[in-house]
Amino acid sequence: MQFRRDIPGSKKIYPFYIQASTKADTVEVYEAPIDAMSGATLRQYKHDSPWRSVHYLALGGLNHQPIDYFLQQHPEVKRVSLCFDRDDPGRNFTKTVAKRLAERGYIVQDAPPAIGKDYNDYLLAARRLISMER
């Protein structure tokens, strides 16, 4: 059985964050740090752009406060890619956040994982495919 909880006194406004290496205009937002790291790894596998060409943000759940704080601190960001889980809570949260951000003028992309429930599942499936090709 897994037991997960927040440390008393932790502030959800401060998310897990991997900064882009350049002044990026895009942030990819995930539910959990493992998913953000998996998204970064998938970008490396795809070779479509440098993995540090975007910001990676993990909320530690489904909470809009870290997104708002991040965007406030990074006015250069104009594009938000929502990479939430492919389950009912993730899909519902995507709709809510996408609407809020679009109303504020952001370009929003809905980007659930192509395979599996979350981006870590997607990464594991991609790794299996890559190893089978070798």
Side-chain angles (χ1 to χ4, degrees):
M1 178 163 113
Q2 286 184 322
F3 179 71
R4 298 181 200 168
R5 68 182 177 123
D6 292 329
I7 301 297
S10 65
K11 294 186 171 121
K12 285 286 192 184
I13 195 169
Y14 303 113
F16 175 87
Y17 170 55
I18 302 171
Q19 184 175 6
S21 61
T22 61
K23 198 131 175 118
D25 73 344
T26 303
V27 61
E28 293 184 357
V29 185
Y30 299 84
E31 287 185 38
I34 189 66
D35 295 319
M37 292 184 287
S38 296
T41 303
L42 283 162
R43 186 176 295 276
Q44 287 178 311
Y45 284 168
K46 291 178 187 176
H47 302 291
D48 57 357
S49 63
W51 78 273
R52 299 274 309 266
S53 63
V54 301
H55 300 284
Y56 300 89
L57 190 71
L59 307 180
L62 297 173
N63 182 346
H64 66 84
Q65 290 176 322
I67 300 169
D68 294 341
Y69 179 77
F70 174 84
L71 293 172
Q72 196 175 54
Q73 302 300 311
H74 296 85
E76 73 280 3
V77 171
K78 306 295 180 215
R79 299 173 183 276
V80 180
S81 186
L82 302 175
C83 306
F84 300 130
D85 292 359
R86 189 183 290 281
D87 57 11
D88 288 340
R91 302 311 305 143
N92 291 333
F93 191 66
T94 297
K95 290 175 193 168
T96 302
V97 172
K99 183 175 185 241
R100 285 181 81 235
L101 293 174
E103 287 171 353
R104 292 169 49 195
Y106 290 96
I107 299 165
V108 182
Q109 178 187 13
D110 179 11
I115 300 168
K117 176 187 163 284
D118 58 30
Y119 268 81
N120 190 244
D121 285 349
Y122 183 13
L123 173 61
L124 294 175
R127 287 185 63 198
R128 283 191 295 274
L129 289 173
I130 289 168
S131 66
M132 289 187 332
E133 290 174 359
R134 291 183 181 165

